[in-house]
Amino acid sequence: MRVLVTTRQGVAVELQPTPGDSLMSALHTMSDGVEGVCGGQTTCGTCHVFVNAGWLDRLPAPNEEEAALLDMLEHAQETSRLSCQIVLVDDLDGLDITLAPEE
Amino acid sequence: MSDTELLDRFGDADTVRAPYQFYENLREQEPVFYSPTMRGFIVTRFEEAREVLTNDKLFSSEPRVAAIGAMAKFAKAYVPLYEAAGTPPPMPTLVVVDGDRHTRHRQLVDGWFNAPAVRKLDAAIMVLVDELISAFIDKGKADIYKDFCLKLPLSVICDMLGLPRGYAELMHRSGDAQVRLASGGAETEEGRVACHQVIIEFQKFIQPYIDKARSNPGSDLLGYLAHTPTKDGDLLSDAEIHSLVQTLNAGGTETTTNGLGNMFGLMLENPEIQTQLREDASRIPFFVDEVIRLESPVAGAPRWANEDSVIGGVAIPAGSMIQARLGAANRDDRRYGCPAHVDLARKGVRNHVGFGAGIHYCLGAVLARFEMKVSMEQALARMANIRIDPAAEAPKRANKVGVRAWLNLPIIFDKIA
C-alpha cells in the first residue's frame, strides 16, 4: 500500500508501509517524520499530522482522548490527527497527509 | 589510569546540586559510563538514552530482586521490615513492570490522567492555584517552592485519590523516600532502611482509606481502584493498591513539584523570560517543555539488560542496571542547538525525553503540563516583577541524585491582584 506524505519543507514523499501498521510507525521510517515520544499512548502529542483533502471522512473519527489532546496543541486544526491512532487498513491505500509543524 | 579519566561524581553533593558540567564531560568523554555509586551504566547522550528507554525487549523496567543501586524499594533484603510491620512489601507496578503486568495497572489508571480527565479537572486546578497564591499575595513575598510548588500537586493528587489534604508532611516524606530508593546506591544502608520505614509509616496511614474504599467507596480514584475489575477479571490486592498510591504520591509530591519549582527557578535565574512570557502568554506551554527539557525533574530512568547488549559501543552484560540520564540527554548538542538555553520558539519543543519515552512515558504528563501552564499564567497575572528575595536565605538545590529539586525559592513581587 502507499501513503503520500508532504514534509514540513513541502516535499512530497511516498511511503510503502505494511497494512496493519500505524501511520506513526510508517512515518518513523522517514528521517524527519514524527517523533511519537510516548509510542502511541495518546499522551505526548508529538505525532501530529494534517489529513489532506478527501481523506478525513474516510478515517474513523478520533476518540475522546485523541480529540482532547489535539485540542491542547498549538498547531491543531480541523484536519488534525495523531498518527499513532490511525491504523493503515487496506482501504487507506493512497492516504494523503502533511506533517504538522513540530511543537 | 589517565589524567583525563572521569571520576564518578554521582555521590558528590556539590555535583548533584549543579550536575550539568559533569553531564557534559560524560557526554563528551564517556557517554556510557559505569558508575560504582549508582551500581550501573549511565547513558548521557540523547540517541542512546532514547534507545534504552524505548527498546523494552532488550531493556526491562523490572528491577532485579537484589538491586539496591536502583529501585532499592523492591530489593528482597528489605522484605523482613515489612513482615515485621505487618504491611505488604512493595510490589512493582507501572513504572517498574513490563508487558501484561504493566498493562494491568496502566489500563485502570490511564483514564484518570489522560487529556479528557485533565480537561474535567482544569477548573478545580485553577481554583487551587488561585487559593494558594491568595494565601501570600498580600505579603508581597513568599517561598514559591514551599508555599506553592510543594502544595499544588499534593492537593490535586489527594483530591483525586479521596485522601485528606492535611497529611502533607508524611506524604512528602514518603515521596522523598521513594525517589531516594530509586537511586538507592547513592544512599547509605542506614538511609535505605530509614526510607523503607517511612514507606511503612505511609502504608499504615493509607490502609484505613483502602479499607473504607473497599466497604464504602466514594467516586474517587481509591474507590475506583478498590472496585474495578482488572483486565484479568480480578480485583487489585491491597498490596497493588498500596504500590499504585505510593507511585501516584511520588508523582504528586516529587516530580510535578519539582517541575513547578524548576519552572519558577529557571524564570528567576533568567529575568528576560519573565518579560517574554508577559509579552506573549502563548509561549508559556513552550516554556513548560523547555523547563522539562533543561531541568528535567526526573533526572534518570533505570532499566535492566535482559541479555548481553551493546549501547554506544559499550558492552552491557545481561542483568546490568543501565540508566538513561534524562537530565543529560536533554542537553545533548547532537540533538539540540544551544542546548543550555531556553528557546521559546524551539522546533519540536515537546520531543524531549524529560517524561521518558515509549511504553513508560509519564502517565501524568498531560496533568503535569497543565498544572505548570496554569501556575505560570496565574502567577504572571497576579504578581508583577517577580524576583528572588535578596533578604531571604539564597535558593538552594537539594542533594538528590534521582530528581532535580529545589529546597527553597524565596521571592518578592509587586501585587497586581
Side-chain angles (χ1 to χ4, degrees):
Chain A
M1 75 183 298
R2 297 176 319 140
V3 171
L4 307 174
V5 180
T6 304
T7 69
R8 296 180 193 90
Q9 288 74 40
V11 179
V13 176
E14 185 180 312
L15 303 178
Q16 294 185 321
T18 309
D21 281 358
S22 74
L23 177 58
M24 178 183 75
S25 304
L27 296 174
H28 277 167
T29 63
M30 300 169 64
S31 60
D32 55 353
V34 293
E35 193 68 25
V37 193
C38 76
Q41 300 180 87
T42 340
T43 312
C44 70
T46 64
C47 65
H48 182 193
V49 298
F50 302 132
V51 177
N52 292 335
W55 285 97
L56 198 61
D57 293 343
R58 296 169 67 173
L59 297 171
N63 62 21
E64 191 193 6
E65 239 177 299
E66 182 187 347
L69 190 58
L70 282 169
D71 251 8
M72 295 174 182
L73 298 180
E74 168 155 348
H75 297 294
Q77 53 188 49
E78 279 184 13
T79 59
S80 286
R81 293 298 305 263
L82 294 177
S83 60
C84 68
Q85 298 301 301
I86 297 173
V87 180
L88 295 170
V89 293
D90 288 329
D91 284 357
L92 296 181
D93 188 13
L95 176 66
D96 187 355
I97 60 129
T98 298
L99 300 180
E102 285 191 293
E103 60 183 272
Chain B
M1 199 179 280
S2 73
D3 289 345
T4 57
E5 184 162 349
L6 280 166
L7 295 174
D8 180 4
R9 296 195 179 277
F10 283 102
D12 172 56
D14 288 341
T15 303
V16 168
R17 292 192 178 103
Y20 296 118
Q21 182 60 52
F22 176 52
Y23 289 170
E24 187 179 334
N25 296 346
L26 289 175
R27 274 195 310 269
E28 298 312 313
Q29 296 175 46
E30 225 172 312
V32 180
F33 174 79
Y34 185 80
S35 163
T37 300
M38 306 291 270
R39 304 183 194 212
F41 295 88
I42 309 295
V43 179
T44 50
R45 287 186 186 168
F46 189 93
E47 287 304 326
E48 289 84 350
R50 185 171 54 182
E51 167 72 9
V52 170
L53 293 168
T54 55
N55 190 341
D56 50 340
K57 288 192 175 59
L58 205 50
F59 301 111
S60 164
S61 290
E62 302 199 11
R64 303 305 185 244
V65 291
I68 57 171
M71 294 298 165
K73 185 176 166 190
F74 306 102
K76 270 223 162 102
Y78 304 103
V79 168
L81 296 173
Y82 293 84
E83 288 170 348
T87 63
M91 185 172 177
T93 52
L94 291 176
V95 188
V96 288
V97 287
D98 296 323
D100 270 358
R101 290 201 294 148
H102 177 254
T103 313
R104 172 180 168 90
H105 298 130
R106 182 106 186 198
Q107 267 186 353
L108 280 179
V109 291
D110 253 346
W112 290 74
F113 292 91
N114 62 17
V118 172
R119 190 186 262 171
K120 282 181 202 140
L121 284 176
D122 62 10
I125 292 173
M126 285 194 245
V127 169
L128 271 172
V129 169
D130 204 41
E131 285 172 0
L132 289 170
I133 295 176
S134 293
F136 59 69
I137 191 76
D138 289 330
K139 296 179 192 159
K141 64 179 187 177
D143 184 326
I144 193 85
Y145 182 74
K146 293 176 186 167
D147 298 337
F148 186 87
C149 307
L150 275 174
K151 291 183 175 174
L152 176 67
L154 187 68
S155 296
V156 171
I157 206 75
C158 281
D159 291 358
M160 189 188 288
L161 281 164
L163 295 172
R165 290 187 199 160
Y167 295 87
E169 195 268 343
L170 173 59
M171 295 180 78
H172 286 305
R173 276 195 295 125
S174 175
D176 177 70
Q178 287 217 88
V179 300
R180 287 190 183 282
L181 287 172
S183 308
E187 303 293 321
T188 61
E189 178 60 14
E190 195 181 22
R192 287 188 287 268
V193 169
C195 287
H196 281 283
Q197 296 294 2
V198 172
I199 290 174
I200 288 169
E201 189 183 343
F202 183 70
Q203 288 178 316
K204 288 182 173 173
F205 158 67
I206 293 293
Q207 187 64 52
Y209 295 98
I210 297 178
D211 295 343
K212 180 171 169 287
R214 296 266 192 220
S215 61
N216 184 21
S219 57
D220 48 57
L221 177 52
L222 214 44
Y224 179 84
L225 292 176
H227 286 273
T228 308
T230 71
K231 70 175 187 59
D232 306 314
D234 59 346
L235 290 178
L236 294 176
S237 67
D238 278 11
E240 288 176 295
I241 295 179
H242 271 295
S243 272
L244 287 170
V245 170
Q246 285 162 29
T247 302
L248 299 178
N249 178 50
T253 58
E254 285 285 346
T255 54
T256 317
T257 284
N258 295 324
L260 288 163
N262 293 345
M263 174 175 75
F264 286 113
L266 203 55
M267 184 184 77
L268 292 164
E269 288 168 347
N270 300 275
E272 73 283 2
I273 292 173
Q274 187 172 162
T275 310
Q276 289 169 26
L277 296 179
R278 286 188 192 282
E279 283 169 0
D280 183 1
S282 75
R283 295 294 95 186
I284 290 175
F286 286 73
F287 181 51
V288 166
D289 270 288
E290 277 289 80
V291 170
I292 303 288
R293 181 184 70 80
L294 266 172
E295 298 280 8
S296 307
V298 177
R303 298 288 189 269
W304 284 265
N306 279 332
E307 52 192 85
D308 289 347
S309 55
V310 175
I311 277 284
V314 174
I316 310 294
S320 302
M321 192 279 278
I322 181 165
Q323 188 196 83
R325 197 71 185 162
L326 310 181
N330 280 330
R331 286 177 175 238
D332 186 351
D333 63 7
R334 291 156 194 80
R335 167 77 180 190
Y336 294 104
C338 297
H341 291 95
V342 174
D343 179 353
L344 299 180
R346 193 180 288 282
K347 298 278 181 223
V349 72
R350 295 166 73 100
N351 291 352
H352 55 77
V353 289
F355 287 118
I359 191 75
H360 288 285
Y361 188 83
C362 176
L363 167 72
V366 179
L367 179 59
R369 280 183 167 119
F370 184 76
E371 287 186 42
M372 290 172 69
K373 170 178 164 282
V374 171
S375 297
M376 183 54 78
E377 285 171 352
Q378 294 204 28
L380 295 179
R382 300 190 64 188
M383 297 180 275
N385 195 15
I386 306 170
R387 59 219 186 263
I388 292 169
D389 182 354
E393 189 186 352
K396 199 173 176 197
R397 283 284 182 181
N399 177 19
K400 288 191 195 180
V401 73
V403 290
R404 179 88 177 131
W406 287 103
L407 291 172
N408 62 326
L409 269 179
I411 58 165
I412 51 174
F413 55 84
D414 306 321
K415 176 182 170 182
I416 298 175

